[in-house]
Amino acid sequence: MSVDRAPEAEGGATTEAVTTAAAALHYYSIAPNTRVNVRSGPGTGYTIVRVLAEGSQVPIYCQTPGTTVTGYYGTTNIWDNIDDGEYISDAYVNTGSDGYVRPRCS
């Protein structure tokens, strides 16, 4: 007996798993007329690795607590992981929520 299987994508994941993960990814707008510092960790004490341009949209892979920041969308200690080793304060991201909208970073 043979079993049909989806072809493997890069990294060993099945195509179906990769497609499902990509479909679940949502991009969020940063605060209007704002350039946002992207940091190497979840806090203002971490190095700035780049700056997001006005009108940017970002994916949020996971969220974690860090330095409390007051920004366009209020005061929060939630930091959004937008890429490998890149974090921005959720105070500048329009998630539509005051709480966590993605899983906690591990």
Side-chain angles (χ1 to χ4, degrees):
M1 173 200 245
S2 68
V3 176
D4 288 334
R5 192 170 163 223
E8 288 196 3
E10 193 174 324
T14 65
T15 303
E16 181 180 336
V18 172
T19 303
T20 302
L25 188 60
H26 178 79
Y27 282 76
Y28 299 88
S29 298
I30 64 165
N33 304 312
T34 305
R35 297 177 66 210
V36 176
N37 291 333
V38 178
R39 297 191 177 265
S40 61
T44 55
Y46 288 89
T47 304
I48 297 171
V49 294
R50 66 184 171 116
V51 179
L52 296 176
E54 294 178 17
S56 293
Q57 293 189 329
V58 295
I60 299 175
Y61 295 102
C62 62
Q63 296 176 296
T64 190
T67 306
T68 299
V69 173
T70 299
Y72 189 87
Y73 295 108
T75 300
T76 184
N77 72 334
I78 299 173
W79 284 74
D80 304 330
N81 174 247
I82 62 168
D83 205 344
D84 189 29
E86 295 188 357
Y87 296 83
I88 59 175
S89 171
D90 197 61
Y92 294 100
V93 183
N94 185 9
T95 62
S97 172
D98 288 336
Y100 288 85
V101 297
R102 300 290 293 154
R104 293 261 185 139
C105 300
S106 53

